[in-house]
Amino acid sequence: MEGIAAAAEILRPCRRILVFTGAGISTESGIPDFRGPQGVWTKVDPDEFTLERYLRYPDTRRRSWRMRMTSGALDSVPNPAHHAVARLWAMGRMVGCVTQNIDGLHQKAGLPDGAVVELHGNAQSTVCLGCGDRQPTADVVRRVNAGDDNPSCLLCGGILKPAVVYFGELLPARAVEEAFDLAEQADAVISVGSTLTVFPAAYIPLHVVERGRPFVILNMGPTDFDHLARARLGAPAGTALPALVAALA
Ligand SMILES: [Zn+2]
């Protein structure tokens, strides 16, 4: 792949690469791209799933848990693209990974918790809005499966909510701060599987570009910032990213 060699040449001197990932890195793990043509939001109305409605209407919570129960996302496994990111980290070439994904697949591929900033949270974990208790979402989904269609906290009776950012909810301040910190230290950025249309998340890679550092884009379709990229790869992440990382080894 010609583009791989060009991208590898650009990144060869870099030791603090920021990897920024979006839904496209996880589609090969069977997780639908929420905003793509087959995306979940083409089938349900995102206005139904705002934080306000989730808090106010038990029925919204029931539908939300039912979707989570049937999505299969909790059982998904990392694909070669996630493993390539973990390998790049192990090679000592990365400053960290900032992800828009909530699937936890970077960590499942072996990237340490401390190397991943999750801008939109992590669906593997559920939090009680009353007492702050955290537990695996899989445990809550088990209760839903057993017939408790609107499960509440077993400790305090509070509303349970997956630890993800809902529509109408601000991004977690600490994650945003950590992400900008990494962008400030990065000497290059690779954006994988993101159309770069969701803000404020897209500001993270753009901040690296603003500092005059090289930008490599790996995405199946066009992105809003292709004109800023020094190299652009249009291949599936599960093929292109392992090849790029191998070229840097
Ligand atoms: Zn509670």
Side-chain angles (χ1 to χ4, degrees):
M1 277 180 272
E2 181 194 322
I4 301 278
E9 211 41 52
I10 291 162
L11 297 171
R12 201 168 309 284
C14 303
R15 293 292 179 277
R16 297 189 312 278
I17 299 169
L18 175 68
V19 177
F20 177 79
T21 63
I25 196 172
S26 293
T27 47
E28 289 165 81
S29 291
I31 296 175
D33 178 349
F34 273 43
R35 285 163 219 275
Q38 300 301 318
V40 173
W41 300 130
T42 61
K43 294 173 194 125
V44 301
D45 181 358
D47 288 344
E48 271 287 297
F49 291 93
T50 61
L51 178 64
E52 197 199 340
R53 294 186 71 96
Y54 190 87
L55 297 181
R56 193 185 293 184
Y57 302 115
D59 216 48
T60 298
R61 298 199 287 279
R62 282 191 192 96
R63 291 186 56 189
S64 172
W65 286 115
R66 200 154 54 226
M67 277 174 59
R68 218 157 279 283
M69 186 176 81
T70 54
S71 73
L74 288 172
D75 309 315
S76 58
V77 294
N79 68 60
H82 298 104
H83 288 293
V85 176
R87 183 180 178 201
L88 190 65
W89 171 265
M91 283 158 55
R93 302 289 296 265
M94 272 171 67
V95 70
C97 175
V98 175
T99 187
Q100 298 171 276
N101 299 338
I102 58 170
D103 52 38
L105 290 181
H106 284 299
Q107 294 92 322
K108 276 193 191 171
L111 204 57
D113 269 335
V116 188
V117 176
E118 296 171 312
L119 289 176
H120 297 159
N122 189 328
Q124 308 277 335
S125 179
T126 284
V127 65
C128 168
L129 299 179
C131 70
D133 181 55
R134 268 180 188 266
Q135 57 181 310
T137 300
D139 290 354
V140 182
V141 165
R142 214 165 287 133
R143 286 170 59 193
V144 178
N145 263 322
D148 185 359
D149 65 350
N150 180 21
S152 54
C153 177
L154 294 173
L155 302 177
C156 77
I159 292 177
L160 295 180
K161 176 179 161 293
V164 300
V165 174
Y166 273 55
F167 290 97
E169 199 176 354
L170 292 174
L171 300 195
R174 197 167 139 235
V176 172
E177 197 175 304
E178 286 173 359
F180 273 108
D181 248 23
L182 292 179
E184 193 62 40
Q185 298 166 45
D187 60 4
V189 57
I190 311 176
S191 175
V192 185
S194 173
T195 51
L196 302 170
T197 47
V198 179
F199 287 89
Y203 285 128
I204 305 299
L206 294 179
H207 186 64
V208 183
V209 180
E210 256 171 24
R211 292 176 44 247
R213 308 296 177 168
F215 188 20
V216 171
I217 293 180
L218 199 173
N219 194 58
M220 282 296 276
T223 79
D224 283 4
F225 295 98
D226 285 353
H227 58 286
L228 297 178
R230 295 265 300 275
R232 215 204 96 76
L233 303 167
T239 317
L241 199 56
L244 176 58
V245 170
L248 289 171

